[in-house]
Amino acid sequence: MVFARRPRAPLPLWLLSGWLRAWRGLCAPAMAPPRCFALELTDCTLAHFALGAEGSDACPDPRLSELLGPPGRSYSLCVPMAAGDDCGARVHAARVHQSLQHQLRRGPFQRCQLHRLLCYCPGGQAEGVQHGFLLRDPSEGQDTRRALLELLSRCQEAARPHLGEFEADSQGVLWQRAWVLQESRQLQVGCARVLPIPEPPLHPAVPHLLSSAVFRDLDTARAVLETCTSIPEAKAVLDLVDQCPRQVQKGKFPVIVIEGLDATGKTTVTHAVSESLQAVLLYSPPSCIGQWRKIFDDQPTIIKRAFYSLGNYIVASEIAKESTKSPVIVDRFWHSTATYGIATELSGGLQHLPPAHHPVYQWPGDLLKPDLVLLLTVSPEERAQRLRDRGLEQTREEAELEANSVFRQKVEASYRRMENPRCLEVDASPSREEVLQTVLRLIRATFNDS
C-alpha cells in the first residue's frame, strides 16, 4: 500500500466512521477511545489535541498547524501499555520508550525534530497513559517514512509503537492517519481529524507519578526492581534491602539532611558540618550500592528512581543505628530522589508541576524522617562557573541541569514544595566559612528551640 500524499478535501463521515471502527478494533484496548494528546513545544508549553470526525467549530491552534502541517511531515509514535497497567507492563513500556528515543536520534532521523508526546484518557485517570514522540521531518523525505516502518518492523508486535502520520487537506484542516504493520505490510486502520482541546487542570502524567517516578513506600519501589531480572545488580540491591529492618526508628541524636543541585557546595558543607558537630556523615545512595549508580542511571526513569528510592531505605537503617550514638549528617536523601523524578517525568515547564500540597511532595510514611533538611542554593551563573572550575566528568543529570534551564527550575521548584519535612533554604553563594556559619546557626536554632 502506498501512502497518500495529502487529502484534497474533508473525507465523508461514513468513510471516516468505517475507518475509525476498524482502527478501534485493531488497536483496542491500548488505544481505545477516547484519547487525548499532550505535545511539548519548543518553548516548553503543551498543546493538547484529540482525534475525531466531528469538531468543525473547534478553535484552531496555530501551534499545532505549525508542527503538524506543511511544509514538512510529522509522525506520532506512542508506546502501548499492556492491559492492567501493572508494574511489569510499566517497566516494559519504559524500556521500549527509551529504546525508541535512542533510535529516533540516529541515522535518517538526525535531521528531524523530536518532541515529547503523551497519549492519555481525559478526566485525569492514571490508566492508559502512553509516552511517545512526535517526529517532525522538515524535508518531508520518503526515506524517513521508510525508516520508521523498518524500525517498527523490528519491534515485538505486542510492544510495537502506534504510528500516526499527520496531513493537512486543501482547507488546511489537520488529519491523522493511523498505520499498523501486518505480515510486513503497512495497513491504514484509521483517519481522524485533529481537534484542539483545552489544557486539563493537571498535567495528565501527574496521576501516574506515584507509580512511575516518586514511590510512596518501599514495596512499590521494590516491585519495580523485581521485574528487572536482566540486571544482575537489581537482585543485589534487593538482597541488601531484605537485610534491613522495616520501619526503623531514629535515635536520640539529631539527623540533618543537606540537599542541593550539583555544584552548590554540598560536599564541602557536609564535611565541615560533620566535623564541627562530631557527627557521622552518610550518603544516599549508600556506598554499598553507590558503585552501581552508572548502571541504573542508564536505565529508564522508573527503574532509576526505584534504585535511588531503595537506596534511601538502606541508608535509613544506617541512620537509625548511628543516630543512637551521635548526630548524623546525610548528603542527599528522599527529597533528591523525588524532585529529579518529578522534573524528568513531567513534560512542559514550571506551570505543569503538581500544585503545592500535592501528595507527591509528602514524605513516605514508612521511611525514617530527618529532623532538619537544608537546601543549598546558588545563582545559575555561579553554579555553572563552579561546574566549569571542577573540570570533572558530568553525570547525565548534571549536564541537563547546566544545559536545560527549565529542567533546573523544575527541580528547584519541586524542592521548595516539599513538605513534612520541608526544605529550609540556605544561600550558598558567600564564602565557605560564611555558609558553614549560617548552616551551624540554623542547626543550633532548630535544636535549641525543640
Side-chain angles (χ1 to χ4, degrees):
M1 179 177 292
V2 179
F3 275 64
R5 291 288 298 167
R6 191 170 287 132
R8 297 301 180 190
L11 297 169
L13 291 180
W14 65 268
L15 183 56
L16 277 173
S17 61
W19 271 343
L20 286 170
R21 282 195 300 271
W23 181 30
R24 290 164 181 167
L26 284 170
C27 297
M31 290 289 287
R35 304 298 294 180
C36 300
F37 296 83
L39 173 62
E40 185 177 56
L41 308 179
T42 53
D43 61 356
C44 291
T45 59
L46 299 179
H48 294 259
F49 64 93
L51 302 175
E54 304 295 335
S56 58
D57 296 331
C59 296
D61 187 338
R63 302 176 303 168
L64 291 174
S65 300
E66 183 178 346
L67 265 181
L68 305 182
R73 180 69 60 116
S74 292
Y75 304 88
S76 63
L77 298 100
C78 289
V79 178
M81 284 289 294
D85 191 24
D86 60 15
C87 181
R90 289 195 299 273
V91 170
H92 181 66
R95 282 178 159 159
V96 173
H97 179 269
Q98 184 185 65
S99 174
L100 183 63
Q101 182 179 40
H102 290 162
Q103 294 178 78
L104 291 176
R105 289 174 171 166
R106 301 172 182 168
F109 307 123
Q110 288 180 303
R111 69 168 181 267
C112 301
Q113 304 164 10
L114 198 61
H115 298 263
R116 294 175 70 176
L117 184 67
L118 188 73
C119 180
Y120 64 97
C121 292
Q125 304 100 315
E127 294 79 7
V129 173
Q130 299 175 9
H131 292 270
F133 303 96
L134 180 92
L135 190 73
R136 174 71 171 172
D137 181 1
S139 65
E140 198 173 352
Q142 296 293 320
D143 54 338
T144 300
R145 180 187 296 133
R146 285 194 295 268
L148 280 173
L149 290 168
E150 182 181 346
L151 186 158
L152 295 181
S153 69
R154 296 196 297 266
C155 298
Q156 294 181 359
E157 187 171 353
R160 185 173 292 158
H162 301 115
L163 175 64
E165 179 182 11
F166 295 93
E167 298 179 335
D169 63 23
S170 57
Q171 269 95 68
V173 176
L174 291 172
W175 302 83
Q176 187 207 58
R177 296 180 181 273
W179 299 90
V180 296
L181 288 176
Q182 285 191 343
E183 298 177 354
S184 301
R185 293 186 305 111
Q186 58 193 61
L187 175 66
Q188 180 176 318
V189 294
C191 183
R193 186 170 176 177
V194 175
L195 307 172
I197 58 173
E199 185 166 300
L202 276 180
H203 189 292
V206 167
H208 202 53
L209 281 177
L210 294 177
S211 60
S212 63
V214 184
F215 303 105
R216 300 299 301 141
D217 53 56
L218 184 149
D219 289 334
T220 306
R222 180 192 172 85
V224 171
L225 284 202
E226 285 178 341
T227 70
C228 301
T229 55
S230 61
I231 307 175
E233 293 78 7
K235 176 65 165 58
V237 172
L238 293 172
D239 289 342
L240 288 169
V241 170
D242 289 341
Q243 296 171 25
C244 300
R246 293 275 188 134
Q247 296 286 357
V248 293
Q249 299 296 317
K250 187 183 74 67
K252 63 180 180 179
F253 289 93
V255 175
I256 301 148
V257 174
I258 298 181
E259 293 277 6
L261 304 182
D262 296 287
T264 55
K266 286 191 319 304
T267 301
T268 300
V269 171
T270 52
H271 279 87
V273 171
S274 64
E275 289 178 5
S276 297
L277 300 181
Q278 295 184 324
V280 172
L281 176 57
L282 300 176
Y283 298 86
S284 186
S287 58
C288 60
I289 67 170
Q291 59 188 319
W292 301 320
R293 286 184 63 174
K294 180 64 170 64
I295 294 170
F296 288 94
D297 282 349
D298 289 337
Q299 296 296 323
T301 296
I302 186 171
I303 300 174
K304 179 178 178 178
R305 288 300 140 201
F307 166 76
Y308 283 103
S309 292
L310 293 177
N312 290 330
Y313 286 92
I314 296 172
V315 81
S317 65
E318 297 180 13
I319 295 171
K321 180 175 64 176
E322 297 296 340
S323 62
T324 62
K325 300 177 288 186
S326 68
V328 177
I329 307 298
V330 189
D331 186 334
R332 286 189 168 175
F333 202 22
W334 182 82
H335 285 342
S336 286
T337 307
T339 55
Y340 280 87
I342 294 167
T344 301
E345 196 72 357
L346 294 186
S347 55
L350 282 174
Q351 68 273 31
H352 298 110
L353 289 176
H357 313 304
H358 189 277
V360 77
Y361 301 122
Q362 303 296 319
W363 192 270
D366 63 349
L367 181 62
L368 182 148
K369 188 184 300 183
D371 298 295
L372 178 66
V373 181
L374 300 177
L375 173 64
L376 304 184
T377 62
V378 296
S379 69
E381 296 76 19
E382 172 70 14
R383 202 184 69 84
Q385 183 60 51
R386 291 183 182 184
L387 282 171
R388 287 191 291 270
D389 292 344
R390 279 162 54 171
L392 300 175
E393 183 181 357
Q394 293 179 323
T395 66
R396 185 177 302 169
E397 284 180 341
E398 285 176 332
E400 186 161 7
L401 283 168
E402 186 173 4
N404 187 337
S405 62
V406 173
F407 180 75
R408 184 184 68 248
Q409 291 165 16
K410 289 196 290 186
V411 172
E412 291 175 333
S414 297
Y415 267 127
R416 293 184 176 110
R417 295 181 189 184
M418 291 293 162
E419 296 180 326
N420 190 34
R422 68 185 183 92
C423 296
L424 193 59
E425 202 164 333
V426 176
D427 180 8
S429 299
S431 68
R432 295 179 180 181
E433 185 59 32
E434 288 179 90
V435 174
L436 173 59
Q437 293 307 314
T438 299
V439 168
L440 291 175
R441 281 198 301 271
L442 289 171
I443 293 172
R444 293 186 184 112
T446 300
F447 295 103
N448 287 342
D449 292 342
S450 59

